[in-house]
Amino acid sequence: MSANAPILALRGVNKSFGPIDVLHDINLEVRAGEVLCLLGDNGAGKSTLIRILSGVHQPTSGTIEMDGQSVGFPTPRAAADKGIATVHQFGGTFPLMSIGRSFFVGVEPTKGWGPFKTYDRKKANEIAVKAVQDFGITRIDDGDRLVGGLSGGERQSLAIARAVHFGARVLILDEPTAALGVKQAAHVLRIVNEAKRRGLAVIFITHQVMHAMAVGDHFAVLIRGAVAADFKKGEKTREQITDLMAGGETMADLEATIEGYMASHDGHPPPPSH
Amino acid sequence: MTDTTTTASVGAPKAGFSLQSIFRRPEAGAAAGFVIILIFFGYFGAQNNFLTALGTSTWLNFASKVGIIAIPVGFLMIAGEMDISVGALIPAGGIVLAMATELYGFNIWVSVLLSLAIAGAIGWVNGMLVTRTKVPSLIVTLATLFVVAGLNIFVSKKLAGTTQHSLPDAGPVSEFLFGDYHTLQFGSDDASFVIFQSLQSSFFIWIVFAAICFFILHMSPWGNWIAAMGGDQQSARNAGIPTNRLKIALFMLSAMAAALVGMTEAVLANTASTTTQFGMIFNSIICVVVGGVLLTGGFGTVTGIVFGTLTFGIVFQGINFTTFDKDLNLLFIGALLLIAVLMNETFRKMATNWSSSKK
Ligand SMILES: Nc1ncnc2c1ncn2[C@@H]1O[C@H](COP(=O)(O)OP(=O)(O)OP(=O)(O)O)[C@@H](O)[C@H]1O
Ligand SMILES: [Mg+2]
């Protein structure tokens, strides 16, 4: 297997919900140590695409390949077992659990024997804290802290560190920076870079072109469920990407429309259209 | 944002006992509430023997029965579910025991097992209905509450021709374990030193049961599963937790606990009646909520539930020891519930934000 073969590939994937076609003929590949940025306007189908990759939905037609073999992900569990980890917008979903406990949910380390096996809190906390600190989050030093008390960025980092610790090969991040401020977002982007350095394939979904350009090696723009553009780092400028995301209507066009409106309405900007 | 912290070294265990570490614990609210209520009724009820061994037994005996049910109901609430069918399972446990021994002449222990088995089966049905259909457990157990209540009366009349069953002699050992009054005192008469007096067997059952449940929720890995299930069902399942089987087991546990309470009452009173105990449904939920369990699931402690039950027991029974108007009893309970919920909310916030304050 060559070093540059894709870990995960979509071949001609279509998805429709009843009569509604959401994805058309999607072809995409991700490689180890590479960040694929999935861009697109609201409703373009990004979340649907990653739900197919994480076993929540099944493609209507087309195939998913892993290491060149055709695979199916009938359940989220099946996808997770094959090393696909999905981190959602708010990271940890157990706000009232301690860092150590939420890190090991479902695979708790134990000590003792038989029915008297007890949860090994010390070991869980140590491993969890170390895993997070290895990602450069040195502010987390106490595994007993509740996840709910962490900042949004720290929670994302914890979720990513957890996925990496449990052997994920493909990391899917659905708008991890959406709810974060500038510093917190930078934090998460650093973590994404670290995951990439460790050889994971990362699929990164975002609306923010700046965030995508900071970490992306490879970009795919979805427009109304189809891949409208697929290009490598440095092949397009920020303006070009922004224009693509706006669905072909260029930013310059939009500005012209707004200016035209303002000129004919005594300088008032147009009301928001939705 | 600097990455320098001046606080504790990596992963070092926290130095034992500190005031801060108490306030980190979300169940601290329930404990504090208990102390306040105890002092309050201790003061106003002192003249009427509230603080004597006998007075204490009054509310402990009452609390123990709610307490045995409140813990598994609390487990279910932590797991994001409700069980109100317990109101019908208490009488079911009692009448099955009474009919099996009196009507069919079974050995008392066989009858106890039979009663637990029937309760377990009803809990299993609850669990299956909740996990297989997506009907909320409040509705499912509301339905089984009435179904079982109806069966209690119907089967009783069909088999025994009555809704009141007598259970005259349960045998010395089972009397001792299930329904008797226990006193421990040193010396006699004037020189006696009373440790406890007239505590019912159910109190000791409660303590042992609470200890076992403490182990399950806080020490075994299962506790983590229960909390994870209530925190986010989907994530818990994806993490490999057998959520359906665990939920069914919890419904079986609460049904069996309710039947156990019914049996202790039957053995103690030597009779069992089919009367559905609607009050116990609310009582158990109040204890759980006062104990700091999050109504929406995902968080709760056994210690908290036990303190919540003790507090509830004092408020419910304590008024009889004071000079307050007895008619205010329910008002007190309502006020307790409101205050406890607000207080628990505050303590939970403190626990969540605990580390932010040390920056
Ligand atoms: N289960 C479903 N049934 C029917 N239609 C659906 C379903 N899920 C998604 N859709 C539709 O598919 C389209 C794409 O949705 P999707 O959530 O994938 O978009 P998105 O690119 O993630 O958008 P956003 O940026 O807002 O998150 C939308 O028009 C949505 O209404
Ligand atoms: Mg989306």
Side-chain angles (χ1 to χ4, degrees):
Chain A
M1 186 169 61
S2 92
N4 224 18
I7 294 188
L8 194 64
L10 291 170
R11 308 269 184 230
V13 166
N14 288 285
K15 176 69 186 174
S16 45
F17 294 103
I20 314 160
D21 286 330
V22 176
L23 295 174
H24 320 278
D25 194 29
I26 304 285
N27 290 289
L28 281 176
E29 295 180 345
V30 256
R31 293 174 173 75
E34 186 186 87
V35 177
L36 167 68
C37 287
L38 208 51
L39 304 164
D41 213 352
N42 292 110
K46 305 180 296 293
S47 296
T48 307
L49 183 60
I50 63 150
R51 284 196 195 109
I52 287 175
L53 290 177
S54 55
V56 178
H57 293 323
Q58 304 307 309
T60 312
S61 64
T63 52
I64 306 173
E65 286 177 11
M66 215 172 169
D67 301 320
Q69 307 283 316
S70 172
V71 288
F73 302 131
T75 60
R77 182 85 193 137
D81 287 344
K82 293 207 169 77
I84 297 182
T86 312
V87 174
H88 296 285
Q89 192 168 322
F90 296 104
T93 38
F94 309 116
L96 287 162
M97 256 189 203
S98 73
I99 290 170
R101 280 181 177 267
S102 71
F103 195 89
F104 282 100
V105 143
V107 283
E108 292 80 4
T110 54
K111 54 186 179 191
W113 51 271
F116 302 108
K117 267 203 197 93
T118 56
Y119 166 72
D120 192 342
R121 169 176 150 268
K122 193 157 165 278
K123 187 170 162 196
N125 286 356
E126 267 170 18
I127 296 174
V129 167
K130 182 163 185 313
V132 184
Q133 293 204 337
D134 282 353
F135 265 91
I137 315 291
T138 45
R139 281 153 47 93
I140 293 181
D141 55 14
D142 177 3
D144 279 333
R145 272 178 72 179
L146 301 186
V147 174
L150 302 179
S151 72
E154 287 169 339
R155 258 189 256 185
Q156 287 287 341
S157 310
L158 176 65
I160 295 172
R162 178 176 192 273
V164 172
H165 180 85
F166 288 106
R169 299 178 61 206
V170 180
L171 189 61
I172 301 176
L173 308 169
D174 193 359
E175 303 196 33
T177 55
L180 304 181
V182 179
K183 280 181 178 173
Q184 295 273 327
H187 215 80
V188 171
L189 294 176
R190 273 219 306 277
I191 305 282
V192 171
N193 267 327
E194 174 64 21
K196 165 176 142 182
R197 199 188 59 76
R198 294 192 189 192
L200 273 83
V202 182
I203 300 177
F204 184 82
I205 296 178
T206 181
H207 282 290
Q208 273 136 315
V209 181
M210 288 296 282
H211 293 172
M213 293 187 79
V215 293
D217 299 299
H218 190 160
F219 302 82
V221 180
L222 280 187
I223 295 178
R224 270 169 264 115
V227 179
D230 186 346
F231 51 92
K232 294 241 161 55
K233 185 177 189 158
E235 288 179 2
K236 284 202 169 30
T237 65
R238 189 156 84 87
E239 286 72 27
Q240 285 171 315
I241 300 176
T242 314
D243 292 348
L244 270 167
M245 283 177 69
E249 201 175 356
T250 68
M251 210 59 193
D253 285 348
L254 279 176
E255 275 162 17
T257 324
I258 295 171
E259 270 159 22
Y261 183 97
M262 282 167 69
S264 59
H265 288 79
D266 307 324
H268 293 298
S273 58
H274 40 216
Chain B
M1 182 167 51
T2 55
D3 278 345
T4 48
T5 38
T6 50
T7 47
S9 61
V10 181
K14 287 276 163 300
F17 183 85
S18 74
L19 200 63
Q20 252 190 336
S21 74
I22 295 180
F23 286 112
R24 284 180 79 172
R25 307 205 66 88
E27 66 265 41
F34 168 69
V35 172
I36 293 168
I37 292 288
L38 185 65
I39 292 172
F40 180 85
F41 280 95
Y43 179 76
F44 286 103
Q47 278 116 337
N48 294 315
N49 303 320
F50 176 76
L51 290 174
T52 62
L54 201 57
T56 306
S57 293
T58 314
W59 57 267
L60 281 182
N61 286 338
F62 172 78
S64 67
K65 287 170 194 146
V66 197
I68 292 171
I69 298 173
I71 297 172
V73 165
F75 276 22
L76 276 167
M77 210 183 276
I78 296 168
E81 304 293 344
M82 276 282 209
D83 185 1
I84 60 175
S85 66
V86 290
L89 274 141
I90 302 169
I95 60 171
V96 169
L97 181 73
M99 286 196 292
T101 48
E102 287 307 299
L103 213 57
Y104 297 102
F106 286 165
N107 173 288
I108 180 87
W109 296 108
V110 175
S111 308
V112 167
L113 290 181
L114 182 69
S115 180
L116 286 177
I118 288 175
I122 296 168
W124 183 83
V125 170
N126 276 336
M128 285 300 278
L129 287 173
V130 169
T131 52
R132 293 302 131 96
T133 72
K134 294 295 166 210
V135 181
S137 50
L138 181 72
I139 306 299
V140 167
T141 56
L142 180 63
T144 47
L145 169 73
F146 280 88
V147 168
V148 174
L151 279 175
N152 285 343
I153 300 173
F154 178 78
V155 174
S156 273
K157 284 204 176 146
K158 269 278 174 297
L159 296 182
T162 173
T163 56
Q164 298 288 331
H165 306 266
S166 68
L167 183 64
D169 184 20
V173 180
S174 47
E175 284 274 354
F176 181 82
L177 286 177
F178 281 119
D180 212 345
Y181 291 96
H182 304 274
T183 298
L184 180 65
Q185 63 182 51
F186 298 104
S188 58
D189 297 335
D190 297 345
S192 73
F193 180 70
V194 182
I195 305 291
F196 56 80
Q197 189 179 355
S198 293
L199 272 182
Q200 291 172 11
S201 305
S202 56
F203 174 78
F204 301 95
I205 296 177
W206 180 37
I207 297 305
V208 173
F209 186 58
I212 296 169
C213 289
F214 182 90
F215 177 84
I216 293 175
L217 192 64
H218 301 297
M219 294 173 74
S220 83
W222 291 336
N224 219 24
W225 298 7
I226 294 172
M229 202 154 70
D232 181 347
Q233 168 112 259
Q234 198 57 50
S235 302
R237 185 174 299 136
N238 292 347
I241 296 170
T243 50
N244 285 358
R245 260 184 297 155
L246 189 57
K247 219 171 251 185
I248 293 169
L250 290 180
F251 276 108
M252 290 173 70
L253 184 68
S254 70
M256 286 158 76
L260 181 62
V261 169
M263 289 191 276
T264 64
E265 286 179 347
V267 174
L268 188 79
N270 292 330
T271 69
S273 136
T274 57
T275 314
T276 308
Q277 302 208 15
F278 290 102
M280 284 295 259
I281 301 170
F282 296 110
N283 294 353
S284 60
I285 294 175
I286 292 172
C287 293
V288 170
V289 173
V290 171
V293 174
L294 197 59
L295 254 172
T296 46
F299 179 79
T301 62
V302 172
T303 326
I305 298 171
V306 169
F307 275 121
T309 309
L310 289 171
T311 310
F312 176 75
I314 294 181
V315 176
F316 203 93
Q317 294 284 328
I319 198 157
N320 298 320
F321 293 88
T322 66
T323 51
F324 303 140
D325 193 326
K326 311 270 179 293
D327 297 338
L328 288 174
N329 203 1
L330 295 182
L331 185 148
F332 271 41
I333 303 273
L336 164 75
L337 185 61
L338 274 180
I339 295 169
V341 168
L342 295 176
M343 216 157 94
N344 287 332
E345 192 60 33
T346 312
F347 270 85
R348 251 194 311 268
K349 282 216 183 80
M350 275 164 73
T352 316
N353 297 328
W354 178 75
S355 279
S356 333
S357 60
K358 72 174 183 183
K359 271 191 219 146

Coordinates of all heavy atoms in Angstrom, one line a residue, chain A residues 17-65:
Chain A
F17 N -33.6 11.7 0.4 CA -34.5 11.4 1.4 C -35.9 11.4 0.7 O -36.4 12.5 0.4 CB -34.5 12.4 2.5 CG -33.2 12.4 3.3 CD1 -32.3 13.4 3.1 CD2 -33.0 11.5 4.3 CE1 -31.1 13.4 3.8 CE2 -31.8 11.5 5.0 CZ -30.9 12.5 4.8
G18 N -36.4 10.2 0.5 CA -37.7 10.2 -0.3 C -37.5 10.9 -1.6 O -36.5 10.6 -2.4
P19 N -38.3 11.9 -1.9 CA -38.2 12.5 -3.2 C -37.1 13.6 -3.2 O -36.7 14.1 -4.3 CB -39.5 13.2 -3.4 CG -40.0 13.4 -2.0 CD -39.5 12.3 -1.2
I20 N -36.5 14.0 -2.1 CA -35.6 15.1 -2.0 C -34.2 14.5 -2.3 O -33.6 13.8 -1.5 CB -35.6 15.8 -0.6 CG1 -37.1 16.0 -0.2 CG2 -34.8 17.0 -0.7 CD1 -37.2 16.2 1.3
D21 N -33.5 15.0 -3.4 CA -32.2 14.6 -3.6 C -31.3 15.6 -2.9 O -31.3 16.8 -3.1 CB -31.8 14.7 -5.1 CG -32.5 13.6 -5.9 OD1 -32.6 12.5 -5.3 OD2 -32.8 13.8 -7.1
V22 N -30.4 15.0 -2.0 CA -29.6 15.9 -1.2 C -28.1 15.9 -1.7 O -27.5 16.9 -1.7 CB -29.7 15.5 0.3 CG1 -28.7 16.3 1.2 CG2 -31.1 15.7 0.8
L23 N -27.7 14.7 -2.1 CA -26.3 14.6 -2.6 C -26.3 13.9 -4.0 O -27.0 13.0 -4.2 CB -25.4 13.7 -1.6 CG -25.2 14.3 -0.2 CD1 -24.5 13.3 0.6 CD2 -24.4 15.6 -0.3
H24 N -25.5 14.5 -4.9 CA -25.4 13.9 -6.2 C -24.0 13.6 -6.6 O -23.1 14.4 -6.6 CB -25.9 15.0 -7.3 CG -27.0 15.8 -6.9 ND1 -28.3 15.3 -7.1 CD2 -27.1 17.0 -6.4 CE1 -29.2 16.2 -6.6 NE2 -28.4 17.3 -6.2
D25 N -23.8 12.3 -6.9 CA -22.5 11.9 -7.5 C -21.3 12.5 -6.8 O -20.5 13.1 -7.4 CB -22.6 12.2 -9.0 CG -21.4 11.4 -9.7 OD1 -21.1 10.3 -9.2 OD2 -20.9 12.0 -10.7
I26 N -21.2 12.2 -5.5 CA -20.0 12.7 -4.8 C -18.8 11.8 -4.9 O -18.9 10.6 -4.7 CB -20.4 12.9 -3.3 CG1 -21.6 13.7 -3.1 CG2 -19.2 13.4 -2.5 CD1 -21.5 15.1 -3.2
N27 N -17.7 12.4 -5.4 CA -16.4 11.7 -5.4 C -15.4 12.5 -4.6 O -15.1 13.6 -4.9 CB -15.9 11.6 -6.8 CG -16.8 10.6 -7.6 OD1 -16.7 9.4 -7.4 ND2 -17.6 11.2 -8.5
L28 N -14.9 11.8 -3.5 CA -13.9 12.5 -2.7 C -13.0 11.5 -2.1 O -13.3 10.3 -1.9 CB -14.7 13.2 -1.5 CG -15.3 14.6 -1.8 CD1 -16.0 15.0 -0.5 CD2 -14.3 15.6 -2.2
E29 N -11.8 12.0 -1.8 CA -10.8 11.1 -1.1 C -10.1 11.9 0.0 O -9.9 13.1 -0.1 CB -9.7 10.7 -2.2 CG -10.2 9.9 -3.3 CD -9.1 9.6 -4.3 OE1 -8.1 10.2 -4.3 OE2 -9.4 8.6 -5.1
V30 N -9.7 11.1 1.0 CA -8.9 11.7 2.1 C -7.7 10.8 2.4 O -7.9 9.6 2.4 CB -9.6 11.9 3.5 CG1 -9.9 13.3 3.7 CG2 -10.8 11.0 3.7
R31 N -6.6 11.4 2.6 CA -5.3 10.6 2.8 C -4.8 10.9 4.3 O -5.2 11.9 4.9 CB -4.3 11.0 1.8 CG -4.6 10.7 0.4 CD -3.6 11.2 -0.6 NE -3.9 10.7 -1.9 CZ -4.9 11.1 -2.6 NH1 -5.7 12.0 -2.2 NH2 -5.2 10.5 -3.8
A32 N -4.0 9.9 4.7 CA -3.4 10.1 6.0 C -2.6 11.4 6.1 O -1.9 11.7 5.1 CB -2.5 8.9 6.4
G33 N -2.6 12.1 7.2 CA -1.8 13.3 7.3 C -2.3 14.4 6.4 O -1.5 15.3 6.1
E34 N -3.6 14.4 6.1 CA -4.1 15.4 5.2 C -5.4 15.9 5.7 O -6.2 15.2 6.3 CB -4.3 14.8 3.8 CG -4.7 15.8 2.7 CD -5.1 15.1 1.4 OE1 -6.2 14.8 1.2 OE2 -4.2 15.0 0.6
V35 N -5.6 17.3 5.6 CA -6.9 17.8 6.0 C -7.7 18.2 4.8 O -7.3 19.0 3.9 CB -6.6 19.1 6.9 CG1 -8.0 19.7 7.3 CG2 -5.8 18.8 8.1
L36 N -8.9 17.6 4.7 CA -9.8 17.9 3.6 C -10.8 18.8 4.2 O -11.5 18.5 5.1 CB -10.5 16.6 3.1 CG -11.7 16.8 2.2 CD1 -11.3 17.4 0.9 CD2 -12.5 15.5 2.0
C37 N -10.9 20.1 3.6 CA -11.9 21.0 4.1 C -13.1 20.9 3.2 O -13.1 21.0 2.0 CB -11.4 22.4 4.0 SG -10.2 22.7 5.3
L38 N -14.3 20.7 3.9 CA -15.5 20.6 3.2 C -16.2 22.0 3.4 O -16.6 22.3 4.5 CB -16.3 19.5 3.8 CG -17.3 18.7 2.9 CD1 -16.7 18.3 1.6 CD2 -17.8 17.5 3.7
L39 N -16.4 22.7 2.3 CA -17.0 24.0 2.3 C -18.4 24.0 1.7 O -18.6 23.1 0.8 CB -16.1 25.0 1.7 CG -14.7 25.1 2.2 CD1 -13.8 25.9 1.2 CD2 -14.6 25.8 3.5
G40 N -19.2 25.0 2.0 CA -20.5 25.0 1.3 C -21.5 25.8 2.1 O -21.3 26.0 3.4
D41 N -22.4 26.4 1.4 CA -23.4 27.2 2.1 C -24.4 26.4 2.9 O -24.3 25.2 2.9 CB -24.2 28.0 1.0 CG -24.7 29.3 1.4 OD1 -24.5 29.6 2.6 OD2 -25.2 30.1 0.6
N42 N -25.2 27.0 3.7 CA -26.2 26.3 4.5 C -27.1 25.4 3.6 O -27.5 25.9 2.6 CB -27.1 27.3 5.3 CG -26.4 28.0 6.3 OD1 -26.2 29.2 6.2 ND2 -25.9 27.4 7.3
G43 N -27.3 24.2 4.0 CA -28.1 23.3 3.3 C -27.5 22.7 2.1 O -28.1 22.0 1.3
A44 N -26.2 22.9 1.9 CA -25.5 22.3 0.8 C -25.3 20.8 0.8 O -25.2 20.1 -0.2 CB -24.1 23.0 0.6
G45 N -25.4 20.3 2.0 CA -25.4 18.8 2.2 C -24.1 18.3 2.9 O -23.8 17.1 2.9
K46 N -23.4 19.2 3.5 CA -22.2 18.8 4.2 C -22.4 17.9 5.4 O -21.8 16.8 5.5 CB -21.5 20.1 4.8 CG -21.2 21.2 3.8 CD -20.5 22.4 4.4 CE -21.3 23.1 5.4 NZ -22.5 23.8 4.9
S47 N -23.4 18.2 6.2 CA -23.7 17.4 7.4 C -24.2 16.0 6.9 O -23.9 15.0 7.5 CB -24.8 18.0 8.3 OG -24.2 19.2 8.8
T48 N -25.0 16.0 5.9 CA -25.6 14.7 5.3 C -24.4 13.9 4.9 O -24.4 12.7 5.1 CB -26.5 15.0 4.1 OG1 -27.5 15.9 4.6 CG2 -27.2 13.7 3.7
L49 N -23.4 14.5 4.2 CA -22.3 13.8 3.7 C -21.5 13.1 4.9 O -21.2 11.9 4.8 CB -21.3 14.7 3.0 CG -20.1 14.1 2.3 CD1 -20.5 13.0 1.3 CD2 -19.3 15.2 1.6
I50 N -21.3 13.9 6.0 CA -20.5 13.3 7.1 C -21.4 12.2 7.8 O -20.8 11.3 8.4 CB -19.9 14.3 8.0 CG1 -21.0 15.1 8.7 CG2 -18.9 15.2 7.3 CD1 -20.5 15.5 10.0
R51 N -22.7 12.4 7.8 CA -23.5 11.4 8.5 C -23.4 10.1 7.7 O -23.5 9.0 8.3 CB -25.0 11.8 8.5 CG -25.2 12.9 9.6 CD -26.6 13.1 10.0 NE -26.7 14.3 10.7 CZ -27.2 15.5 10.3 NH1 -27.8 15.5 9.1 NH2 -27.2 16.6 11.0
I52 N -23.2 10.1 6.4 CA -23.0 8.9 5.6 C -21.7 8.3 6.0 O -21.6 7.1 6.2 CB -23.1 9.2 4.1 CG1 -24.5 9.5 3.7 CG2 -22.5 8.0 3.3 CD1 -24.7 9.9 2.3
L53 N -20.7 9.1 6.2 CA -19.3 8.6 6.6 C -19.3 8.1 8.0 O -18.5 7.2 8.3 CB -18.3 9.7 6.4 CG -18.0 10.1 5.0 CD1 -17.0 11.2 5.0 CD2 -17.4 8.9 4.2
S54 N -20.2 8.6 8.9 CA -20.1 8.1 10.2 C -21.2 7.1 10.6 O -21.5 6.8 11.7 CB -20.2 9.3 11.2 OG -21.3 10.1 11.0
G55 N -21.9 6.6 9.5 CA -22.8 5.4 9.7 C -24.2 5.8 10.1 O -25.0 4.9 10.5
V56 N -24.5 7.1 10.2 CA -25.9 7.5 10.6 C -26.8 7.3 9.4 O -27.9 6.8 9.6 CB -25.9 9.0 11.1 CG1 -27.3 9.4 11.4 CG2 -24.9 9.2 12.2
H57 N -26.4 7.7 8.2 CA -27.2 7.5 7.0 C -26.5 6.5 6.1 O -25.3 6.4 6.2 CB -27.4 8.8 6.3 CG -28.3 9.8 7.0 ND1 -29.3 9.5 7.7 CD2 -28.2 11.1 7.0 CE1 -29.9 10.6 8.2 NE2 -29.2 11.6 7.8
Q58 N -27.3 5.8 5.3 CA -26.7 5.0 4.2 C -26.8 5.7 2.9 O -27.9 6.3 2.6 CB -27.5 3.6 4.2 CG -27.6 2.9 5.5 CD -26.2 2.7 6.1 OE1 -25.3 2.2 5.4 NE2 -26.0 3.1 7.4
P59 N -25.8 5.6 2.0 CA -26.0 6.2 0.7 C -27.1 5.5 -0.1 O -27.3 4.3 0.1 CB -24.6 6.0 0.1 CG -23.9 5.0 0.9 CD -24.5 4.9 2.2
T60 N -27.8 6.3 -0.9 CA -28.8 5.7 -1.7 C -28.2 4.8 -2.8 O -28.6 3.8 -3.2 CB -29.7 6.8 -2.4 OG1 -30.1 7.7 -1.3 CG2 -31.0 6.2 -3.0
S61 N -27.1 5.3 -3.4 CA -26.3 4.5 -4.3 C -24.8 5.0 -4.2 O -24.5 6.1 -3.6 CB -26.8 4.7 -5.7 OG -26.6 6.0 -6.2
G62 N -23.9 4.3 -4.8 CA -22.5 4.6 -4.7 C -21.8 3.8 -3.6 O -22.5 3.1 -2.9
T63 N -20.5 3.9 -3.6 CA -19.8 3.1 -2.6 C -18.8 3.9 -1.8 O -18.3 5.0 -2.2 CB -18.9 2.0 -3.3 OG1 -18.1 2.6 -4.3 CG2 -19.8 0.9 -3.9
I64 N -18.5 3.4 -0.6 CA -17.5 4.0 0.3 C -16.3 3.0 0.3 O -16.6 1.8 0.4 CB -18.0 4.2 1.7 CG1 -19.3 5.0 1.7 CG2 -16.9 4.9 2.6 CD1 -20.0 5.1 3.1
E65 N -15.1 3.5 0.1 CA -14.0 2.6 0.1 C -13.1 3.0 1.3 O -12.8 4.2 1.5 CB -13.2 2.7 -1.2 CG -13.9 1.9 -2.3 CD -13.1 2.1 -3.6 OE1 -12.0 2.6 -3.6 OE2 -13.7 1.8 -4.7

